[in-house]
Amino acid sequence: MMISVLVTDGETRAALAVTRSLGRKGCRVVVGGRAKNISSASKYCAKAYHLPSPMVDEEQYLHHVLNIVHDENIIFVFPITEPAVHILSKNRHEFPKGVITAAPEWDKIMIAFNKVEVFKRAEHLGVGIPSTIFVRDREDFFTKEHLCTTFPVVVKPGMSRIHTSSGFISTKVVYANSAEELRACYEKIDALNYPSMIQEKIIGPGTGLFTLFDRDRHLALFSHRRLREKPPSGGVSVVSESVPLDPEMVDASARLLSSIGWAGVAMVEFKRDIRDGRPKLMEINGRFWGSLQLAIACGVDFPALLLDYLHGGKPDGSIGEYKTGHKLKWFLGTLDHLIIRIKNDDASLNLPPGSPSKFRCFMDFLKVWERNTSFDVIDRNDISPFIRELRNYFQNRD
């Protein structure tokens, strides 16, 4: 009997990677998300539904998902973005008996998605973190601002999405180059009236450790480093490369996730501090990540592995065996990176050390084929998602 799976947030690259992976595995994949999204264009999508934004109306979002689950005889629900994971894990008891939500239990999610809690745990466990000042709210900042004496600093809201009675508040990391800029952040940014952190800016290469974790041990592992990001100063990866596992990062991730009792997929992100060579924790993403397709291309198919895990199986083969030195490019992401670089002076972008020149970025963008390189949206055997992405991209720029 073919298994029917619902994948949410079809507009994301992670959802497309999950759709393709589970479709190739023989599942009947139903996609939910915005209208005319990239995942719904895939040949592996059996049917697509428009879903209201989980950021705006939690009740309506859940209602629509439950209807899809009922109408399509869904067995597994794969939430992709943080709001979807938040809502569907919290309300998993609303699903019919036998329907499995591919996300950890609610209490585990609330720990992993809380950056303040994660960094306090890391500090207690001896995991390397940037120098950090924990701030309860805006008023608490004004009692602690005198502690910030070295700049620049990184200001991180405690949650990527703050859940309120009227929906979710999207947050982002901001940088402050002076005490005046830092004070202005706390005076003007609504998200900073909730728990946050002020951290030293770590200079060094960013590395993500991907894992399928089973409460106290890794079942599958993969690691990548970011080569280019959007925005260029730091953000989502637009060019990344598979790298060998770092034992210190593997151990630190295991200790952190074990302390939570995590069961499922996660990406634990680090930066290796050029001052002392130690990896410093950046965050935990307790869900599928944007560069998921790189792991799949290198032989670690996390969506398929998670499906088997939820069935009660355990991955075969040796942990950490995958292709290294393979690059993944997000074509339109590299275009955005290039446009930002061209429009702005490099000094104003806070580029990390070793960033490629504008000319090199331009020449790299022109490469449509390169050895040991693949694209995450472009797939010659499933080209419609890229055509859809191109159309949406230029329509949104009008």
Side-chain angles (χ1 to χ4, degrees):
M1 176 180 168
M2 183 178 291
I3 298 172
S4 291
V5 177
L6 172 63
V7 178
T8 70
D9 308 285
E11 60 275 9
T12 65
R13 291 175 293 129
L16 177 60
V18 174
T19 297
R20 286 169 167 168
S21 166
L22 299 183
R24 291 180 180 124
K25 190 175 174 65
C27 295
R28 179 178 181 270
V29 182
V30 177
V31 172
R34 297 176 196 161
K36 298 181 179 180
N37 62 67
I38 57 174
S39 302
S40 67
S42 171
K43 69 179 183 181
Y44 297 104
C45 171
K47 197 168 183 179
Y49 285 85
H50 173 72
L51 284 174
S53 171
M55 296 281 289
V56 176
D57 193 327
E58 178 176 333
E59 187 175 327
Q60 278 298 308
Y61 180 79
L62 178 62
H63 174 73
H64 278 71
V65 170
L66 288 172
N67 283 342
I68 296 170
V69 168
H70 177 270
D71 293 345
E72 298 295 335
N73 296 313
I74 299 296
I75 301 298
F76 291 94
V77 179
F78 277 69
I80 303 299
T81 62
E82 190 167 311
V85 171
H86 180 112
I87 295 169
L88 299 183
S89 179
K90 177 182 176 182
N91 295 284
R92 68 173 72 229
H93 60 279
E94 298 282 353
F95 290 104
K97 185 178 180 180
V99 175
I100 298 173
T101 303
E105 296 296 329
W106 168 245
D107 59 332
K108 314 301 183 188
I109 286 171
M110 290 307 292
I111 296 172
F113 283 2
N114 186 329
K115 293 182 176 64
V116 171
E117 173 64 23
V118 166
F119 275 87
K120 286 182 176 179
R121 282 174 181 255
E123 189 174 48
H124 176 74
L125 292 167
V127 173
I129 65 171
S131 176
T132 302
I133 299 170
F134 296 101
V135 182
R136 289 192 307 274
D137 53 28
R138 182 174 289 132
E139 293 304 316
D140 188 41
F141 163 75
F142 294 120
T143 69
K144 294 178 176 177
E145 61 178 317
H146 67 280
L147 300 175
C148 301
T149 57
T150 304
F151 293 87
V153 294
V154 184
V155 183
K156 292 182 179 178
M159 305 281 283
S160 298
R161 303 284 189 277
I162 299 172
H163 186 248
T164 71
S165 58
S166 57
F168 287 87
I169 298 174
S170 291
T171 72
K172 64 179 181 179
V173 172
V174 295
Y175 299 89
N177 294 306
S178 66
E180 292 74 23
E181 288 185 12
L182 181 60
R183 173 175 269 264
C185 288
Y186 276 88
E187 289 175 337
K188 298 176 181 178
I189 299 175
D190 289 341
L192 297 182
N193 201 30
Y194 297 85
S196 63
M197 298 176 293
I198 303 169
Q199 296 183 323
E200 64 176 333
K201 184 177 180 181
I202 300 298
I203 305 300
T207 302
L209 186 80
F210 309 164
T211 179
L212 172 58
F213 202 76
D214 185 23
R215 303 188 187 279
D216 62 357
R217 67 190 188 278
H218 298 292
L219 297 180
L221 283 167
F222 178 83
S223 188
H224 88 316
R225 62 172 177 166
R226 296 169 176 234
L227 300 180
R228 209 168 308 158
E229 297 170 287
K230 184 184 79 167
S233 58
V236 297
S237 173
V238 300
V239 182
S240 55
E241 181 181 29
S242 59
V243 296
L245 296 174
D246 181 299
E248 189 172 358
M249 294 181 190
V250 171
D251 176 67
S253 301
R255 284 186 284 144
L256 263 176
L257 295 171
S258 293
S259 76
I260 300 172
W262 191 258
V265 295
M267 179 178 81
V268 187
E269 189 173 344
F270 298 86
K271 276 193 175 183
R272 187 169 293 282
D273 195 331
I274 62 173
R275 297 171 301 180
D276 59 13
R278 286 200 66 197
K280 303 292 173 65
L281 178 69
M282 293 292 107
E283 65 177 342
I284 294 178
N285 280 319
R287 54 183 175 80
F288 284 119
W289 43 90
S291 49
L292 174 61
Q293 183 58 43
L294 176 60
I296 296 172
C298 293
V300 188
D301 192 338
F302 280 100
L305 291 171
L306 178 58
L307 185 68
D308 289 341
Y309 173 72
L310 295 171
H311 264 305
K314 297 294 172 66
D316 296 325
S318 300
I319 294 177
E321 287 190 357
Y322 55 84
K323 186 193 308 182
T324 59
H326 187 84
K327 293 180 183 178
L328 182 77
K329 290 184 179 181
W330 175 23
F331 180 78
L332 292 180
T334 61
L335 175 59
D336 282 339
H337 177 100
L338 179 61
I339 290 171
I340 294 170
R341 291 290 302 276
I342 291 172
K343 287 184 174 180
N344 295 274
D345 180 78
D346 283 356
S348 68
L349 292 175
N350 290 314
L351 296 174
S355 295
S357 65
K358 294 178 182 180
F359 177 75
R360 181 178 168 189
C361 289
F362 175 71
M363 295 304 295
D364 185 67
F365 172 74
L366 295 179
K367 293 179 181 178
V368 294
W369 183 86
E370 188 177 357
R371 289 188 61 189
N372 295 320
T373 301
S374 56
F375 290 93
D376 56 353
V377 178
I378 301 173
D379 183 336
R380 63 183 180 181
N381 295 314
D382 186 29
I383 198 64
S384 294
F386 178 61
I387 296 172
R388 175 73 55 80
E389 185 188 38
L390 272 178
R391 184 180 297 121
N392 292 344
Y393 181 85
F394 287 108
Q395 285 176 347
N396 292 336
R397 294 186 72 89
D398 290 341

